[in-house]
Amino acid sequence: MEETEQRRPRVVIADDQELVRTGFRMILTARGIDVVAEASDGAEAVAAAVLHRPDVALLDIRMPTMDGLEAARRILAQVPDCRVIMLTTFDLDHYVYAALSAGASGFLLKDVTSAHLAAAVRLVDTGDALLAPSITRRLVERFATGAPHPAARGADSPRLHRDLAPLTPREAEVLGLLGRGLSNTELAVELTLSESTVKTHVARIFAKLNLRDRAQAVVLAYETGLVAPGGNG
Protein backbone atom coordinates (compact mmCIF):
# COMPACT_ATOMS: atom_id res chain seq x y z
CA MET A 1 0.00 0.00 0.00
CA GLU A 2 2.81 2.40 0.83
CA GLU A 3 4.43 1.79 -2.56
CA THR A 4 1.15 2.71 -4.30
CA GLU A 5 0.92 5.98 -2.37
CA GLN A 6 4.56 6.86 -3.06
CA ARG A 7 4.17 6.32 -6.79
CA ARG A 8 3.66 9.50 -8.83
CA PRO A 9 1.18 8.74 -11.62
CA ARG A 10 1.77 10.65 -14.85
CA VAL A 11 -1.37 12.32 -16.21
CA VAL A 12 -2.57 14.06 -19.36
CA ILE A 13 -5.53 16.44 -18.92
CA ALA A 14 -7.76 17.25 -21.90
CA ASP A 15 -10.51 19.84 -21.66
CA ASP A 16 -11.44 22.74 -23.93
CA GLN A 17 -11.78 25.05 -20.91
CA GLU A 18 -8.42 26.38 -19.77
CA LEU A 19 -9.70 27.13 -16.26
CA VAL A 20 -10.76 23.50 -15.82
CA ARG A 21 -7.38 22.23 -16.96
CA THR A 22 -5.54 24.68 -14.72
CA GLY A 23 -7.65 23.79 -11.70
CA PHE A 24 -7.21 20.06 -12.19
CA ARG A 25 -3.46 20.46 -12.75
CA MET A 26 -3.05 22.45 -9.54
CA ILE A 27 -5.08 19.92 -7.56
CA LEU A 28 -3.18 16.91 -8.85
CA THR A 29 0.26 18.49 -8.60
CA ALA A 30 -0.40 19.49 -4.99
CA ARG A 31 -1.15 15.85 -4.24
CA GLY A 32 1.98 14.36 -5.73
CA ILE A 33 0.62 13.51 -9.17
CA ASP A 34 2.57 14.65 -12.23
CA VAL A 35 0.63 16.38 -15.00
CA VAL A 36 2.88 15.79 -18.04
CA ALA A 37 0.70 17.56 -20.63
CA GLU A 38 -2.53 19.46 -21.21
CA ALA A 39 -4.72 19.45 -24.31
CA SER A 40 -7.61 21.62 -25.47
CA ASP A 41 -9.19 19.05 -27.81
CA GLY A 42 -9.21 15.34 -28.48
CA ALA A 43 -6.63 15.40 -31.25
CA GLU A 44 -4.15 17.18 -28.98
CA ALA A 45 -4.93 14.66 -26.24
CA VAL A 46 -4.08 11.71 -28.49
CA ALA A 47 -0.85 13.33 -29.61
CA ALA A 48 0.10 14.12 -26.01
CA ALA A 49 -0.67 10.57 -24.87
CA VAL A 50 1.41 9.03 -27.66
CA LEU A 51 4.31 11.39 -26.90
CA HIS A 52 4.30 11.21 -23.10
CA ARG A 53 2.88 7.69 -22.51
CA PRO A 54 0.96 8.76 -19.36
CA ASP A 55 -0.45 6.38 -16.78
CA VAL A 56 -3.83 8.13 -16.82
CA ALA A 57 -5.65 10.39 -19.29
CA LEU A 58 -8.43 12.66 -18.03
CA LEU A 59 -10.64 13.38 -21.05
CA ASP A 60 -13.59 15.73 -21.31
CA ILE A 61 -16.31 14.06 -23.36
CA ARG A 62 -17.32 17.12 -25.36
CA MET A 63 -14.38 18.85 -27.04
CA PRO A 64 -13.86 20.47 -30.45
CA THR A 65 -11.96 18.88 -33.35
CA MET A 66 -12.20 15.41 -31.81
CA ASP A 67 -14.46 14.53 -28.89
CA GLY A 68 -13.26 12.69 -25.82
CA LEU A 69 -14.85 9.41 -26.85
CA GLU A 70 -12.91 9.17 -30.10
CA ALA A 71 -9.79 10.34 -28.28
CA ALA A 72 -10.29 7.57 -25.73
CA ARG A 73 -10.55 4.94 -28.46
CA ARG A 74 -7.36 6.12 -30.11
CA ILE A 75 -5.41 6.50 -26.88
CA LEU A 76 -6.39 3.04 -25.67
CA ALA A 77 -5.42 1.58 -29.05
CA GLN A 78 -2.05 3.35 -29.24
CA VAL A 79 -1.11 3.50 -25.56
CA PRO A 80 -2.65 0.30 -24.16
CA ASP A 81 -1.12 0.72 -20.70
CA CYS A 82 -2.82 4.11 -20.24
CA ARG A 83 -6.01 4.29 -18.19
CA VAL A 84 -8.77 6.67 -19.28
CA ILE A 85 -11.14 8.61 -17.04
CA MET A 86 -13.91 10.50 -18.79
CA LEU A 87 -14.98 13.93 -17.51
CA THR A 88 -18.61 14.92 -17.90
CA THR A 89 -21.30 17.21 -16.51
CA PHE A 90 -23.82 14.35 -16.71
CA ASP A 91 -23.58 11.26 -14.52
CA LEU A 92 -25.54 9.00 -16.91
CA ASP A 93 -24.43 9.98 -20.38
CA HIS A 94 -24.60 7.86 -23.53
CA TYR A 95 -21.04 8.86 -24.27
CA VAL A 96 -19.91 7.49 -20.92
CA TYR A 97 -21.43 4.08 -21.66
CA ALA A 98 -19.75 3.99 -25.07
CA ALA A 99 -16.46 4.97 -23.44
CA LEU A 100 -16.75 2.15 -20.91
CA SER A 101 -17.44 -0.25 -23.75
CA ALA A 102 -14.32 1.01 -25.51
CA GLY A 103 -12.22 0.38 -22.40
CA ALA A 104 -12.32 3.54 -20.29
CA SER A 105 -11.94 2.83 -16.59
CA GLY A 106 -14.71 5.15 -15.38
CA PHE A 107 -15.94 8.70 -15.28
CA LEU A 108 -16.00 11.75 -13.03
CA LEU A 109 -18.34 14.68 -12.86
CA LYS A 110 -16.58 17.99 -13.42
CA ASP A 111 -17.64 19.24 -10.00
CA VAL A 112 -15.64 16.45 -8.35
CA THR A 113 -13.96 17.38 -5.07
CA SER A 114 -10.20 17.83 -4.98
CA ALA A 115 -9.71 14.77 -2.79
CA HIS A 116 -11.92 12.59 -4.99
CA LEU A 117 -10.12 13.67 -8.16
CA ALA A 118 -6.71 12.72 -6.81
CA ALA A 119 -8.02 9.48 -5.31
CA ALA A 120 -9.66 8.54 -8.63
CA VAL A 121 -6.43 9.00 -10.57
CA ARG A 122 -4.51 6.89 -8.07
CA LEU A 123 -7.22 4.22 -8.08
CA VAL A 124 -7.26 3.63 -11.83
CA ASP A 125 -3.47 3.83 -11.91
CA THR A 126 -3.40 0.71 -9.74
CA GLY A 127 -5.45 -1.13 -12.37
CA ASP A 128 -8.82 -0.92 -10.66
CA ALA A 129 -12.03 0.50 -12.10
CA LEU A 130 -13.17 3.88 -10.89
CA LEU A 131 -16.85 3.02 -10.87
CA ALA A 132 -18.40 0.79 -8.28
CA PRO A 133 -19.65 -2.26 -10.20
CA SER A 134 -23.24 -1.59 -9.10
CA ILE A 135 -23.09 1.94 -10.55
CA THR A 136 -21.60 0.60 -13.77
CA ARG A 137 -24.38 -1.97 -13.91
CA ARG A 138 -27.06 0.73 -13.65
CA LEU A 139 -25.38 2.65 -16.45
CA VAL A 140 -25.15 -0.43 -18.65
CA GLU A 141 -28.75 -1.44 -17.98
CA ARG A 142 -29.88 1.98 -19.09
CA PHE A 143 -28.02 2.00 -22.38
CA ALA A 144 -26.85 -1.48 -23.37
CA THR A 145 -30.08 -2.62 -24.97
CA GLY A 146 -31.35 0.73 -26.23
CA ALA A 147 -30.69 2.47 -29.50
CA PRO A 148 -27.22 4.00 -29.46
CA HIS A 149 -26.92 7.74 -29.18
CA PRO A 150 -26.19 8.99 -32.72
CA ALA A 151 -22.89 10.60 -31.72
CA ALA A 152 -21.85 8.04 -29.16
CA ARG A 153 -20.60 5.39 -31.55
CA GLY A 154 -17.95 5.75 -34.23
CA ALA A 155 -17.85 3.54 -37.29
CA ASP A 156 -15.07 1.48 -35.73
CA SER A 157 -16.33 1.70 -32.15
CA PRO A 158 -15.49 -1.61 -30.50
CA ARG A 159 -18.20 -3.57 -28.79
CA LEU A 160 -17.54 -6.43 -26.45
CA HIS A 161 -19.50 -9.17 -28.21
CA ARG A 162 -16.85 -11.77 -27.55
CA ASP A 163 -16.92 -15.54 -27.58
CA LEU A 164 -17.05 -16.69 -23.97
CA ALA A 165 -15.92 -20.21 -24.94
CA PRO A 166 -12.45 -19.79 -23.37
CA LEU A 167 -14.09 -19.52 -19.95
CA THR A 168 -14.69 -22.52 -17.74
CA PRO A 169 -18.23 -22.93 -16.39
CA ARG A 170 -17.08 -21.53 -13.05
CA GLU A 171 -15.44 -18.52 -14.72
CA ALA A 172 -18.61 -17.83 -16.69
CA GLU A 173 -20.53 -17.96 -13.43
CA VAL A 174 -18.11 -15.51 -11.84
CA LEU A 175 -18.40 -13.15 -14.83
CA GLY A 176 -22.18 -13.24 -14.56
CA LEU A 177 -21.97 -12.28 -10.90
CA LEU A 178 -19.50 -9.52 -11.72
CA GLY A 179 -22.08 -8.25 -14.17
CA ARG A 180 -24.61 -8.07 -11.34
CA GLY A 181 -22.22 -5.80 -9.44
CA LEU A 182 -20.87 -8.18 -6.79
CA SER A 183 -17.57 -7.35 -5.12
CA ASN A 184 -14.90 -9.99 -4.54
CA THR A 185 -16.08 -10.41 -0.95
CA GLU A 186 -19.68 -10.88 -2.10
CA LEU A 187 -18.55 -13.31 -4.79
CA ALA A 188 -16.72 -15.37 -2.18
CA VAL A 189 -19.86 -15.62 -0.05
CA GLU A 190 -22.12 -16.37 -3.02
CA LEU A 191 -19.86 -19.12 -4.38
CA THR A 192 -18.60 -20.43 -1.01
CA LEU A 193 -15.01 -19.79 -2.04
CA SER A 194 -12.08 -18.00 -0.43
CA GLU A 195 -11.54 -14.42 -1.56
CA SER A 196 -8.10 -15.35 -2.91
CA THR A 197 -9.69 -18.04 -5.10
CA VAL A 198 -12.21 -15.48 -6.37
CA LYS A 199 -9.39 -13.09 -7.22
CA THR A 200 -7.69 -15.86 -9.19
CA HIS A 201 -10.88 -16.54 -11.17
CA VAL A 202 -11.32 -12.81 -11.88
CA ALA A 203 -7.71 -12.47 -13.03
CA ARG A 204 -8.07 -15.44 -15.38
CA ILE A 205 -11.30 -14.02 -16.83
CA PHE A 206 -9.62 -10.69 -17.51
CA ALA A 207 -6.63 -12.41 -19.13
CA LYS A 208 -8.71 -14.72 -21.33
CA LEU A 209 -11.08 -11.99 -22.52
CA ASN A 210 -8.53 -9.15 -22.61
CA LEU A 211 -10.51 -7.02 -20.16
CA ARG A 212 -9.02 -3.96 -18.49
CA ASP A 213 -11.06 -3.86 -15.29
CA ARG A 214 -14.35 -4.64 -13.60
CA ALA A 215 -16.21 -1.84 -15.33
CA GLN A 216 -15.51 -3.41 -18.70
CA ALA A 217 -16.39 -6.83 -17.31
CA VAL A 218 -19.85 -5.54 -16.40
CA VAL A 219 -20.32 -4.16 -19.92
CA LEU A 220 -19.23 -7.49 -21.41
CA ALA A 221 -21.61 -9.48 -19.21
CA TYR A 222 -24.54 -7.49 -20.59
CA GLU A 223 -23.44 -7.22 -24.20
CA THR A 224 -22.93 -10.98 -24.48
CA GLY A 225 -26.31 -11.66 -22.87
CA LEU A 226 -24.73 -13.38 -19.87
CA VAL A 227 -26.71 -10.98 -17.68
CA ALA A 228 -30.09 -9.56 -18.70
CA PRO A 229 -31.05 -5.94 -17.96
CA GLY A 230 -33.44 -5.83 -15.05
CA GLY A 231 -32.23 -9.17 -13.79
CA ASN A 232 -31.40 -10.14 -10.25
CA GLY A 233 -28.82 -8.00 -8.51
Side-chain angles (χ1 to χ4, degrees), residues 32-232:
I33 295 171
D34 295 331
V35 176
V36 296
E38 296 179 25
S40 61
D41 61 51
E44 289 182 4
V46 175
V50 171
L51 176 63
H52 295 283
R53 318 295 290 189
D55 301 301
V56 179
L58 289 173
L59 304 178
D60 184 21
I61 287 179
R62 294 178 175 84
M63 293 185 289
T65 307
M66 179 189 298
D67 66 22
L69 180 57
E70 181 60 25
R73 294 191 192 104
R74 297 191 185 193
I75 289 172
L76 292 169
Q78 297 182 60
V79 191
D81 291 336
C82 181
R83 299 278 168 165
V84 168
I85 298 175
M86 306 304 298
L87 300 169
T88 180
T89 54
F90 305 100
D91 60 350
L92 287 178
D93 189 305
H94 289 81
Y95 288 85
V96 175
Y97 166 69
L100 291 175
S101 184
S105 295
F107 70 94
L108 288 172
L109 297 180
K110 283 193 178 182
D111 62 357
V112 61
T113 66
S114 299
H116 190 187
L117 174 64
V121 168
R122 291 192 180 280
L123 178 66
V124 300
D125 181 48
T126 66
D128 206 346
L130 175 60
L131 298 177
S134 58
I135 296 174
T136 310
R137 178 169 59 84
R138 283 210 320 271
L139 180 70
V140 173
E141 284 199 358
R142 178 162 175 175
F143 295 122
T145 59
H149 189 282
R153 298 285 301 280
D156 60 347
S157 177
R159 287 180 70 86
L160 295 175
H161 287 293
R162 294 205 185 104
D163 183 1
L164 300 181
L167 301 184
T168 66
R170 175 63 96 182
E171 288 166 350
E173 184 180 13
V174 170
L175 179 58
L177 293 173
L178 282 175
R180 285 172 44 197
L182 273 66
S183 66
N184 283 350
T185 300
E186 292 167 335
L187 282 168
V189 172
E190 179 79 13
L191 299 172
T192 320
L193 298 172
S194 68
E195 195 163 341
S196 62
T197 300
V198 167
K199 290 179 180 177
T200 298
H201 282 310
V202 171
R204 287 175 178 168
I205 291 167
F206 286 9
K208 289 181 178 181
L209 300 181
N210 195 29
L211 298 175
R212 289 175 174 270
D213 51 40
R214 298 173 82 93
Q216 202 174 20
V218 174
V219 174
L220 176 63
Y222 279 88
E223 292 200 342
T224 57
L226 192 61
V227 177
N232 184 24

